Amino acid sequence: MTAPVFLTGDLPAYRVAIASLSHSAARADGPAGALAVIRGDGAWWEDARRAAAGGAVALLVDEPEAAPTDVPALRGELGVPVLVRRPSLRSGIVDDALRSLDGSALRSVVAECQASFADAPRVVRDAVGWMRVLTGGADGAPAVLRGRPGRHGTTARLRWAGGVGASLIVTLVASGGGLLRVRASGETALEIDLDAPMGRSVLGVGTSAGWLMTPPRHEQPEREALRRALELVRDGSPTGDLAGFGADAATAATILAR
Amino acid sequence: MRGVGIIGAGPGVAALHLPTLARLAERLRVVHLADRGSGRAAALAEPLGAAASEGTAALLADPAVEIVAICSPPDEHAGHILACVEAGVRAILCEKPLATNAADARAVVEACRDAGIPLLVATNHVYDEAWDRAKRYLVALGSDVRSVSVTVALPPNGRYHSAVAELAPSAAPPRGAPDLGDPDVAAAVVRQLVLGLAVHDLPAIRDLAPDFEGVDFAAAVAPLGYSIGFRSSGVPVLLDAVMLPDGPDAFWRLSIGAGADRVDVEFPPSFVHAGSATVRVRSAEPRETTYRRDGSDGYVREWLALAELLDGVTAMEPHELLDDALFAIGLADAAAAAIRAGGAS
């Protein structure tokens, strides 16, 4: 059975995604009864509000740049499930990473970010997202011990309640960047190496038997996000995407504040 | 051929210095080993045809001993260096750390300088050819260092000991995990780990960012490790290490953000002779370059460096030795203080 999908604005990758999910999705003319895909640039939450008010059954925010000041209030106001596609926190890779651990506890998580000043909030936000999901702590804001931000970067130590600690280093560059590497150490280790300019998105899983590089995810990221959203809506499963996004954004802002 | 006496007979000697010196047999020969009465020195000396003794007096009085390698516990290093100077040995290789407090560091460097005795601290990473390569790259780039991180995850050493030596089974019972929830214990553990583990890379970090400013956070990591954020010369530095009961091959990566480039130096496991570290540069173009590895390693090269000091090919730089030691001790003390002040982790 196909589910209606409404695209707010120009979202060509989602047009392609809908076409390649022909048994699951069909383009809708309006938000009523549809999953609405929201462009993440600017004040996307205004489009989200309009779509929810127009009867959307769920929202998928694509690559949000900024976060609204009060995410919990927005969640309550929207009243429908909100999924978030974050290119550096791709749900399929997150699932692969958590599955690879197979219950093995991590002892330490380190994230290294390199980003331009403009891009740092997004990159650090997604680094925090990786740290949050890998450390196994409770949802909510972590305790943050932050370094003194310098001209070219900073460090921070994060700990979510009940989770292991995680550390972060940020390198600020004049242009380019957008690199995120996460090393999670334990009897099973993970390395996530995300380098969009180089077209690299790699998950390595290490044990005493050696390292396994998980296969590339050949599915277009927008298709994966749309497919996941459709499955969650169909199954009525809850999603913590927006809460996680908001918390990660707030933590990133704390880390980067001067 | 120069005679080497070794103070200490633990795994660092059996699995590290003896196999290393065996690779340098044309220049250096182990002639004497000393322990504190465990009998391990005699067991190691016998197949080498070397002398063995208890304590340091006999070793330091042995005329065949020209060079002394100090591989005793860290808090004995300074005393053993001073004893070597007193005995008039020709040169000293001291395992890291040089000393565990600033007064001792000053005393031993001053003593060696005044006596004209070459002293080298065995921080093998900075003697690795790959570090020279990375430094050359950074110099060419104008040394615009913006960040430094060192990430370490180590399985038990036994995995690597068995690759280079046949060690007698340890009679000592395995040590229990420290109670890292106790801030005083955690602080002491992290201080010890900074001086014993992080110290591998601190001279390299000081090369890049010499002026230690302060620790921003420090935490003990279970079962045994640390995470420390600090600043030096305005550069943020993150040190993170964990020693694991099992897991993947040893991982040791020094990563430098320089300009818009990222320079990774990945070191091979300790103890083994697997050649140099690997240098990988991800530059702004974007492009990634992996440089060839050298066949030699930092363990061999540190001994060769000592031989060059002894031969007068190079000269000891006492102020660098001292500044390296003070940098490490200052960081260790500040990290411990941060843990005591802020809780364990």
Side-chain angles (χ1 to χ4, degrees):
Chain A
M1 186 181 127
T2 57
V5 177
F6 174 65
L7 304 182
T8 62
D10 186 27
L11 288 157
Y14 284 90
R15 287 204 307 270
V16 174
I18 292 168
S20 65
L21 288 165
S22 56
H23 293 291
S24 307
R27 184 104 179 248
D29 293 332
L35 166 68
V37 183
I38 313 291
R39 283 173 56 105
D41 51 344
W44 56 265
W45 45 92
E46 298 299 343
D47 285 341
R49 285 189 178 106
R50 278 191 287 275
V57 296
L59 309 175
L60 168 58
V61 184
D62 183 66
E63 206 173 341
E65 285 175 2
T69 49
D70 190 346
V71 170
L74 178 67
R75 286 171 60 207
E77 186 185 338
L78 294 174
V80 294
V82 181
L83 297 103
V84 181
R85 185 180 83 81
R86 299 165 67 176
S88 298
L89 190 65
R90 188 171 166 172
S91 60
I93 301 179
V94 171
D95 292 345
D96 284 351
L98 296 177
R99 196 178 307 116
S100 300
L101 288 173
D102 194 25
S104 176
L106 292 168
R107 313 287 188 144
S108 173
V109 177
V110 175
E112 299 166 290
C113 308
Q114 187 207 63
S116 65
F117 292 88
D119 210 20
R122 181 191 68 78
V123 177
V124 174
R125 186 177 70 205
D126 287 349
V128 171
W130 273 109
M131 296 159 91
R132 175 174 52 80
V133 298
L134 291 177
T135 53
D139 288 342
V144 180
L145 292 171
R146 73 187 199 108
R148 192 178 303 166
R151 216 155 47 91
H152 296 312
T154 192
T155 56
R157 176 83 176 162
L158 312 181
R159 180 184 278 277
W160 281 263
V164 298
S167 297
L168 171 95
I169 186 161
V170 182
T171 309
L172 297 171
V173 295
S175 61
L179 313 185
L180 172 55
R181 186 165 63 186
V182 182
R183 181 83 184 194
S185 297
E187 285 81 341
T188 298
L190 304 174
E191 177 144 308
I192 298 112
D193 187 3
L194 306 173
D195 183 341
M198 290 282 283
R200 182 166 57 217
S201 175
V202 177
L203 167 64
V205 183
T207 67
S208 57
W211 278 86
L212 171 75
M213 309 311 287
T214 58
R217 300 190 71 83
H218 295 297
E219 185 176 18
Q220 179 197 19
E222 290 84 354
R223 183 184 192 272
E224 178 187 278
L226 183 59
R227 184 172 52 75
R228 172 173 174 263
L230 291 167
E231 288 169 1
L232 286 171
V233 170
R234 185 189 63 214
D235 298 343
S237 304
T239 170
D241 279 17
L242 185 56
F245 172 77
D248 296 345
T251 302
T254 299
I255 292 168
L256 293 170
R258 289 180 176 269
Chain B
M1 181 71 71
R2 298 193 182 275
V4 177
I6 301 179
I7 298 174
V13 173
L16 200 162
H17 288 293
L18 294 185
T20 301
L21 289 165
R23 287 166 162 75
L24 298 166
E26 291 172 4
R27 301 180 69 167
L28 300 164
R29 185 167 72 91
V30 178
V31 295
H32 200 133
L33 288 108
D35 61 24
R36 289 193 291 184
S38 68
R40 288 197 299 260
L44 295 173
E46 194 270 329
L48 300 172
S53 59
E54 185 179 327
T56 59
L59 184 144
L60 294 176
D62 186 341
V65 172
E66 292 181 85
I67 300 171
V68 176
I70 296 173
C71 306
S72 48
D75 56 1
E76 296 178 21
H77 288 180
H80 285 152
I81 292 172
L82 294 176
C84 288
V85 172
E86 180 74 18
V89 304
R90 298 279 313 280
I92 301 167
L93 180 144
C94 181
E95 262 305 339
K96 43 204 171 290
L98 177 66
T100 56
N101 64 69
D104 281 354
R106 290 191 178 92
V108 298
V109 170
E110 185 178 333
C112 288
R113 184 195 62 205
D114 291 350
I117 297 174
L119 169 66
L120 182 144
V121 181
T123 43
N124 53 298
H125 283 181
V126 293
Y127 290 99
D128 193 304
E129 196 271 344
W131 177 238
D132 287 345
R133 186 183 295 276
K135 270 199 302 188
R136 284 196 297 274
Y137 183 88
L138 293 167
V139 168
L141 205 65
S143 295
D144 179 17
V145 174
R146 294 173 176 230
S147 67
V148 181
S149 59
V150 183
T151 309
V152 180
L154 303 175
N157 282 337
R159 197 184 290 184
Y160 306 104
H161 291 167
S162 63
V164 292
E166 292 180 307
L167 302 191
S170 172
R175 278 184 287 187
D179 176 13
L180 298 178
D182 179 334
D184 287 329
V185 173
V189 164
V190 168
R191 187 180 191 281
Q192 193 174 351
L193 288 173
V194 169
L195 292 176
L197 192 66
V199 73
H200 279 82
D201 303 299
L202 295 180
I205 292 171
R206 199 178 75 79
D207 265 357
L208 304 171
D211 299 322
F212 175 68
E213 294 172 22
V215 163
D216 288 322
F217 61 83
V221 172
L224 196 60
Y226 52 80
S227 191
I228 302 168
F230 70 99
R231 284 160 287 107
S232 198
S233 298
V235 175
V237 182
L238 175 63
L239 307 178
D240 193 279
V242 61
M243 301 165 84
L244 300 161
D246 192 14
D249 200 19
F251 177 76
W252 197 309
R253 179 165 62 205
L254 167 63
S255 189
I256 302 149
D261 293 2
R262 183 176 69 194
V263 180
D264 289 333
V265 185
E266 291 192 9
F267 293 96
S270 296
F271 301 100
V272 303
H273 296 276
S276 74
T278 300
V279 177
R280 190 171 295 117
V281 177
R282 196 288 193 186
S283 51
E285 282 88 350
R287 183 173 64 204
E288 191 166 82
T289 306
T290 302
Y291 291 88
R292 71 161 180 80
R293 294 174 68 192
D294 190 73
S296 187
D297 58 70
Y299 296 130
V300 169
R301 284 168 55 94
E302 71 192 12
W303 275 103
L304 291 175
L306 183 67
E308 289 187 349
L309 282 175
L310 193 48
D311 292 342
V313 176
T314 54
M316 183 173 82
E317 297 180 86
H319 60 286
E320 290 292 336
L321 270 181
L322 179 58
D323 287 349
D324 279 346
L326 296 179
F327 189 94
I329 291 163
L331 174 63
D333 286 342
I339 291 173
R340 284 195 196 92
S345 54

